[in-house]
């Protein structure tokens, strides 16, 4: 019997790219006639005609399924919903803007079926068409998070990957509220083959990620996969104690007790209180995540699916 591949596609205001995407994925599905396909679109509270297009596609093509959220829950929630709802033996996550070329699918499928990997993931080897400052911070982030966590995140890794049912079940089992999929994929383990490709610019529409959004997302990644920042305050504390004692003792021994030195005193006070506030901030970040996690709120809310129209 033919195996089933589910293509999970999170969409947020993608009315312009969806027709191109559908055309492209259909071509690939035709070439890969040795497997069956299911296209599972996640409408993440789009404000444009995305949902209308999805309804239309679903009524014409029985391979098309969709899940529509009650509001915008973010791409992470979209991917989680997709993995949870997908029925395939193999599941692939891909963007709607064709930045994840569907033409790589046959190679990814072979990596799992013929070469025995559990997942085939993709990474960009170039960041053509991206602002240099964004690339710089992205590199910095990858270096940092790999140093301080077990998540094993590859620089330039996309969310575009094909996974076995077993791996997807493991990921769906991680129902944490603060999701950082790039870390989760690495954390669950399994053998992954990395396929490199050159960056492709989006086919239509605009990116949904501002620099600020990406920055917040990177903090999310660090907080979700590393507790190292929490130990920073301890390290700072010890360091300052030693520094303080040496400073006071050595200074007094050499120069005696001087009433001068008021500026340096104020500087030190500012420095130390600054560090204390920083540490409090770090604690607050973890506390807020714990708080949200304990509420056990749903990761997404479904308003409509293709079953409502079929
Ligand atoms: N996306 C989503 N919800 C959001 C933001 C984005 O489902 O809140 C989807 C979007 O429709 C696209 C994918 O996530 O299919 C990647 O988004 P985008 O292309 O804007 O990101 P970039 O490729 O620029 O990193
Ligand atoms: Mg994109």
């Amino acid at each position: 019997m033919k195996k089933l591949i589910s293509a999970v596609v999170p969409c947020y205001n993608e009315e312009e790219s969806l027709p191109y995407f559908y055309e492209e994925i259909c071509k690939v599905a035709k070439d890969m006639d040795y497997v069956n396909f299911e296209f599972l679109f996640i409408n993440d509270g789009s404000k444009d005609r995305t949902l209308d297009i999805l309804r239309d596609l679903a009524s014409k093509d029985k391979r098309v399924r969709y899940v529509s959220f009650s509001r915008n829950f973010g791409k992470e929630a979209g991917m989680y919903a997709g993995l949870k709802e997908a029925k395939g033996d193999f599941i692939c996550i891909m963007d709607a803007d064709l930045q994840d070329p569907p033409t790589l699918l046959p190679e990814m499928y072979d990596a799992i079926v013929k070469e025995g990997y559990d997942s085939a993931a993709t990474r960009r080897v170039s960041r053509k068409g991206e602002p240099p400052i964004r690339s710089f911070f992205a590199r910095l982030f990858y270096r940092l998070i790999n140093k301080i966590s077990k998540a094993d995140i590859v620089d330039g890794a996309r969310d575009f990957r094909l996974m076995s049912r077993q791996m997807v079940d493991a990921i769906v089992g991680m129902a944490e509220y603060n999701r950082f999929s790039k870390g989760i994929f690495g954390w669950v383990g399994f053998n992954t083959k990395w396929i490199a490709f050159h960056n492709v610019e989006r086919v239509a529409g605009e990116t949904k990620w501002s620099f600020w959004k990406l920055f917040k997302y990177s903090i999310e990644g660090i907080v979700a996969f590393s507790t190292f920042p929490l130990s920073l305050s301890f390290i700072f504390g010890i360091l300052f104690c030693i520094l303080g004692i040496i400073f006071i003792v050595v200074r007094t021994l050499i120069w005696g007790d001087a009433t001068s030195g008021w500026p340096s005193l104020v500087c030190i006070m500012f420095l130390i209180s600054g560090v204390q506030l920083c540490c409090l901030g770090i604690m607050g970040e973890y506390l807020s995540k714990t708080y949200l996690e304990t509420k056990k709120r749903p990761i997404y809310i479904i308003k409509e699916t293709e079953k409502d129209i079929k």
Side-chain angles (χ1 to χ4, degrees):
M1 223 186 80
K2 279 192 199 175
K3 296 277 186 199
L4 177 67
I5 296 186
S6 304
V8 168
V9 193
C11 309
Y12 177 53
N13 295 345
E14 296 286 3
E15 61 175 5
E16 286 165 67
S17 9
L18 268 180
Y20 295 104
F21 176 83
Y22 179 67
E23 194 186 315
E24 214 38 50
I25 192 91
C26 281
K27 268 189 222 156
V28 173
K30 208 168 156 213
D31 291 340
M32 293 176 76
D33 52 4
Y34 44 90
V35 277
N36 288 326
F37 269 90
E38 144 185 286
F39 311 134
L40 177 55
F41 295 92
I42 315 295
N43 174 36
D44 186 13
S46 300
K47 292 182 181 71
D48 62 359
R49 292 186 47 255
T50 301
L51 182 58
D52 295 331
I53 297 175
L54 292 180
R55 281 188 191 128
D56 187 47
L57 289 177
S59 60
K60 284 184 196 143
D61 183 344
K62 64 177 186 346
R63 294 172 300 178
V64 174
R65 294 176 56 205
Y66 70 86
V67 167
S68 185
F69 289 172
S70 59
R71 64 167 169 88
N72 179 258
F73 280 88
K75 186 186 175 188
E76 284 292 339
M79 291 195 285
Y80 182 70
L83 293 180
K84 212 167 164 183
E85 304 287 329
K87 298 193 176 120
D89 305 295
F90 303 96
I91 292 122
C92 175
I93 300 179
M94 55 207 310
D95 285 4
D97 57 8
L98 289 178
Q99 276 190 308
D100 298 330
T103 43
L104 285 177
L105 268 177
E107 190 184 340
M108 293 160 87
Y109 182 73
D110 285 350
I112 296 187
V113 174
K114 294 193 182 140
E115 295 170 43
Y117 287 95
D118 301 293
S119 119
T122 58
R123 53 184 280 262
R124 295 186 292 182
V125 281
S126 66
R127 289 175 169 270
K128 185 174 66 101
E130 195 184 67
I133 183 99
R134 190 164 149 177
S135 306
F136 170 76
F137 278 106
R139 293 229 163 80
L140 197 71
F141 166 72
Y142 285 116
R143 251 205 267 154
L144 181 71
I145 194 155
N146 280 321
K147 274 234 164 72
I148 61 175
S149 84
K150 285 200 178 65
D152 185 19
I153 300 169
V154 175
D155 184 7
R158 305 267 317 163
D159 293 324
F160 180 30
R161 59 163 79 211
L162 184 70
M163 290 170 277
S164 65
R165 172 48 58 189
Q166 196 188 16
M167 181 166 172
V168 170
D169 286 344
I171 293 169
V172 171
M174 293 173 76
E176 52 204 68
Y177 183 77
N178 299 288
R179 301 190 73 75
F180 184 70
S181 288
K182 284 192 173 74
I184 293 177
F185 294 147
W187 193 91
V188 293
F190 297 100
N191 293 329
T192 300
K193 178 175 181 176
W194 287 98
I195 297 170
F197 72 101
H198 285 280
N199 193 26
V200 190
E201 286 182 48
R202 99 189 326 277
V203 58
E206 272 167 18
T207 176
K208 276 80 194 176
W209 293 92
S210 63
F211 187 80
W212 178 238
K213 251 178 146 179
L214 273 176
F215 178 73
K216 282 205 301 203
Y217 187 58
S218 63
I219 298 284
E220 197 117 307
I222 291 175
V223 173
F225 278 92
S226 170
T227 47
F228 176 75
L230 277 177
S231 38
L232 271 182
S233 41
F234 185 67
I235 297 171
F236 278 138
I238 298 278
L239 206 75
F240 278 178
C241 283
I242 297 173
L243 217 81
I245 292 170
I246 292 177
F247 192 69
I248 294 165
V249 174
V250 174
R251 212 183 118 113
T252 321
L253 279 181
I254 297 178
W255 290 291
D257 185 17
T259 36
S260 62
W262 184 82
S264 57
L265 205 68
V266 172
C267 281
I268 294 166
M269 267 169 57
F270 267 104
L271 181 77
I272 295 181
S273 48
V275 170
Q276 278 178 343
L277 282 178
C278 274
C279 294
L280 259 182
I282 292 171
M283 302 259 259
E285 197 67 31
Y286 281 91
L287 186 70
S288 69
K289 297 292 178 219
T290 317
Y291 174 60
L292 287 175
E293 213 68 63
T294 51
K295 285 199 198 191
K296 297 235 178 298
R297 283 190 182 159
I299 297 169
Y300 59 89
I301 295 168
I302 296 179
K303 187 174 170 205
E304 179 186 325
T305 70
E306 84 284 347
K307 290 192 196 89
D308 297 322
I309 59 161
K310 273 181 182 167

